[in-house]
Amino acid sequence: MSKTKPFGVFFFAAGALVLHLAFAVGIGALFAQWHGRQISRGVALPQAPRYVLPAGWNDPGKRGQIASLCAAGGHVFAAGPGLGVYRSVDGHSWFPFNAGLSESLETTHLSSGPAGLFVIDDDLQAYRWDSTAWSAIGVVPESSRVVRVGHRGGSLAVATDFGVHFWTERDGWTTPEDPGRAATFAVKPRRVLPATPTLGIGIESNERGAWFVRLSGGSGVAAPPVDPPVDPSKVVWLRDVDGSSTIVDGDWRSTITDVEFRPSPTSTIIVAAGDARVYAIDVVDGGFATPRGESAGLPPAACTSLTVNGEDLFVGTSGFGVYRFDAQHDRFEPANLGLLHTP
C-alpha cells in the first residue's frame, strides 16, 4: 500500500490540473465570445489594416505611375505598371485587389460598365472580376495596342490599332467593326444633370480614341458625330488631331488623356491633359462654357486618368500616384497611402 500511495496522489493532482485547464479554457471561450460581440457592437477597435506597397514601388520607372482609374460599387480602382490593381474604399488609402492576378502585372486599362469590371495588361490579356477573383477572358485579338476601353450596351468595347473589338460573356470576342467606319462607344457611364434631369451627359470615343462629350435629352443618347458637330452647343468636339483629342487654351494645345463628368458643386466636364493640367468645362443653359484651368495642387507631371466616385474627383498622374480634389480648399491633395508610402 505504501508503494502505491504516491501514484494515487499523482493521478489525483493530474486530474485536478485537467479540470482546472478545462475550466480556464471554458472561461476563455466565453470571454472570446463576449469580446467578439463587443467588437461587433463597435465597443472595441478593429485591428489596423496591413498596407502592402506595389511590386513596382522600388522601380523608378514604375513608382507612382497610374495608367488608369475607375470607380465601381462606391470604390475606386487604380491600375499601372508593376501595380496590378489596387482598390480604395475611403478615397485615401489603397490595398491590393489582385486575386487571380500577378501582383507585378503591368496593367494599362480599367473599365467599369454594364458588362462588369475589367482590366487589361500590356500583353493585351483581358480580365473580368467575377465577385471573388479576376478571371482571364482572353487576349484582345488581332491587335498590338489598346487605344481606349469602354462599353456599348452589354458589351465590353476595346478600341485598338486594328479597330473596335467587342466582348460578351455569351459570345466572347467578336470580329472588329470596319476601322474605316465610326464605331462610337461609351467610355464612362451616362449620367444626368442634377439640376436638369431631362438632360444626360455622354462621354464617348470613336475607334481612333477621339473624345466626344454630348448633351442629350430624354433617355436615349444619340451617337456623336466624327466630323465637327452641327450643333456646337450640344457637343464638345475635343479637337481630333491625328487620332488624338486635344484641348486648346489660348495658344497652348494639350493632348487629352481622359474625360469625366463631376455632378457637383456644379455640373462640370473635367478634362485631364498630358501637360500636368486639368480643365473644367461647366454645363450651362443646356450648353458648354469656356474651359478653365483647375490644377492647383497637382504635381509637375502628366495627368493620365480621371474618375469620379460620388462627388469626389480623382486624378492619376505619371510618377506621383493619385490626387483627390479637396473642394473645401479648392485644390488637389495627394491620396497615396498604400501606393507610395505606409503609415
Side-chain angles (χ1 to χ4, degrees), residues 81-124:
L83 188 65
V85 178
Y86 268 59
R87 177 179 66 169
S88 177
V89 176
D90 59 8
H92 297 281
S93 52
W94 300 83
F95 297 92
F97 195 72
N98 288 322
L101 300 177
S102 166
E103 293 184 358
S104 59
L105 191 68
E106 308 287 307
T107 46
T108 60
H109 293 80
L110 278 166
S111 184
S112 175
L117 177 64
F118 297 86
V119 66
I120 298 177
D121 67 19
D122 62 346
D123 291 326
L124 304 188

Side-chain angles (χ1 to χ4, degrees), residues 2-335:
S2 61
K3 292 182 179 180
T4 61
K5 185 176 181 180
F7 291 100
V9 172
F10 171 77
F11 285 120
F12 177 81
L17 178 61
V18 170
L19 290 174
H20 177 75
L21 290 174
F23 178 79
V25 169
I27 292 297
L30 290 174
F31 175 78
Q33 292 178 7
W34 173 84
H35 185 60
R37 286 195 296 270
Q38 297 305 101
I39 289 178
S40 67
R41 292 171 183 170
V43 175
L45 294 176
Q47 186 177 3
R50 178 173 175 264
Y51 292 93
V52 180
L53 290 173
W57 183 81
N58 288 321
D59 186 334
K62 298 178 181 180
R63 176 182 166 87
Q65 297 286 343
I66 305 299
S68 184
L69 293 173
C70 82
H75 301 168
V76 182
F77 300 86
L83 188 65
V85 178
Y86 268 59
R87 177 179 66 169
S88 177
V89 176
D90 59 8
H92 297 281
S93 52
W94 300 83
F95 297 92
F97 195 72
N98 288 322
L101 300 177
S102 166
E103 293 184 358
S104 59
L105 191 68
E106 308 287 307
T107 46
T108 60
H109 293 80
L110 278 166
S111 184
S112 175
L117 177 64
F118 297 86
V119 66
I120 298 177
D121 67 19
D122 62 346
D123 291 326
L124 304 188
Q125 174 67 60
Y127 303 83
R128 183 191 186 195
W129 181 253
D130 66 5
S131 78
T132 58
W134 293 99
S135 298
I137 61 173
V139 175
V140 182
E142 302 178 5
S143 306
S144 61
R145 182 174 65 94
V146 172
V147 178
R148 193 88 65 228
V149 179
H151 296 261
R152 180 190 282 179
S155 303
L156 171 70
V158 182
T160 72
D161 53 349
F162 191 71
V164 180
H165 299 263
F166 295 93
W167 180 90
T168 62
E169 188 171 12
R170 186 189 68 180
D171 301 326
W173 293 102
T174 62
T175 304
E177 297 188 6
D178 181 3
R181 183 167 60 89
T184 57
F185 56 89
V187 180
K188 304 294 174 74
R190 180 180 180 271
R191 301 184 178 98
V192 298
L193 275 65
T196 314
T198 56
L199 284 178
I201 286 284
I203 298 175
E204 308 189 16
S205 175
N206 65 6
E207 77 283 355
R208 296 190 300 170
W211 291 96
F212 301 92
V213 181
R214 185 178 183 87
L215 279 174
S216 61
S219 59
V221 179
V226 174
D227 296 322
V230 175
D231 185 356
S233 69
K234 300 299 182 184
V235 179
V236 176
W237 183 59
L238 298 172
R239 294 180 184 270
D240 186 12
V241 179
D242 297 329
S244 298
S245 287
T246 60
I247 190 166
V248 177
D249 182 12
D251 295 329
W252 191 267
R253 186 186 299 274
S254 305
T255 300
I256 292 174
T257 54
D258 206 350
V259 182
E260 256 292 5
F261 172 65
R262 183 176 61 188
S264 63
T266 59
S267 296
T268 307
I269 301 298
I270 306 296
V271 178
D275 62 354
R277 287 193 265 187
V278 169
Y279 296 89
I281 306 172
D282 291 332
V283 182
V284 292
D285 299 326
F288 298 99
T290 302
R292 69 178 189 277
E294 194 173 272
S295 304
L298 288 176
C303 298
T304 60
S305 52
L306 295 167
T307 197
V308 170
N309 187 36
E311 297 183 358
D312 293 325
L313 170 66
F314 296 85
V315 178
T317 68
S318 178
F320 292 85
V322 178
Y323 279 67
R324 177 179 179 175
F325 187 71
D326 183 347
Q328 182 178 357
H329 298 95
D330 199 27
R331 61 182 287 112
F332 287 94
E333 298 290 346

